[in-house]
Amino acid sequence: MKIELPYKINVHRKLCIKKDIIELNQWIDTLSALNIELEQLKLIEKQLLKNSMIETNLLGLRRKNTLVMGMLCKYEQELNTEFEYGAKEYDGLRAKEHEKKRDVFTALGQEFIQLKQMIYHNLLKYQRR
């Protein structure tokens, strides 16, 4: 009977880590797409808006995106290692750590939305002649 409990704990641990890895891969894909969109917005700023504040915000967000992407890639390596070789039970601390990563990702997404709104607001000033 005691043999089943560690097996079930290990299965649960692997399932939870796998779920975290899947979610993490979605975040990384989203950040890759965000990076492409930032490049496009940079071109719009350069060709149409010519606003130094927007240019600075775009560069700053691009840097943040790169840093967050690096942090998430490192976290992915940690999760893959833990999935394959780890023996630590998936507990509340590990779940909170994952939530912290989600919060960083979400905050970056919110910043991006605000920047896009600023750009769209500036684009609305243009009129067709």
Side-chain angles (χ1 to χ4, degrees), residues 91-102:
D91 57 4
L93 283 174
R94 177 170 276 155
K96 282 184 182 181
E97 193 62 36
H98 187 75
E99 288 297 319
K100 286 179 189 176
K101 307 287 191 222
R102 180 183 290 128

Side-chain angles (χ1 to χ4, degrees), residues 37-77:
E37 195 169 350
L38 281 171
E39 288 300 317
Q40 293 168 340
L41 290 172
K42 207 166 111 179
L43 289 173
I44 289 171
E45 186 284 321
K46 185 178 181 181
Q47 293 175 4
L48 293 175
L49 300 176
K50 298 176 183 166
N51 182 319
S52 62
M53 186 176 82
I54 291 176
E55 179 185 20
T56 302
N57 288 340
L58 282 166
L59 290 174
L61 192 61
R62 187 167 169 236
R63 285 185 195 110
K64 281 184 185 179
N65 187 43
T66 301
L67 291 172
V68 171
M69 179 75 86
M71 184 244 338
L72 292 179
C73 287
K74 183 179 177 191
Y75 180 52
E76 182 183 26
Q77 289 176 338

Side-chain angles (χ1 to χ4, degrees), residues 66-123:
T66 301
L67 291 172
V68 171
M69 179 75 86
M71 184 244 338
L72 292 179
C73 287
K74 183 179 177 191
Y75 180 52
E76 182 183 26
Q77 289 176 338
E78 293 169 8
L79 285 178
N80 284 326
T81 301
E82 181 63 29
F83 182 81
E84 289 295 322
Y85 307 110
K88 184 180 173 195
E89 185 177 343
Y90 195 96
D91 57 4
L93 283 174
R94 177 170 276 155
K96 282 184 182 181
E97 193 62 36
H98 187 75
E99 288 297 319
K100 286 179 189 176
K101 307 287 191 222
R102 180 183 290 128
D103 291 343
V104 170
F105 168 76
T106 303
L108 183 67
Q110 290 300 316
E111 239 182 283
F112 182 60
I113 290 169
Q114 290 173 351
L115 181 57
K116 283 196 307 186
Q117 288 174 343
M118 183 190 319
I119 291 169
Y120 294 149
H121 178 73
N122 277 280
L123 285 171

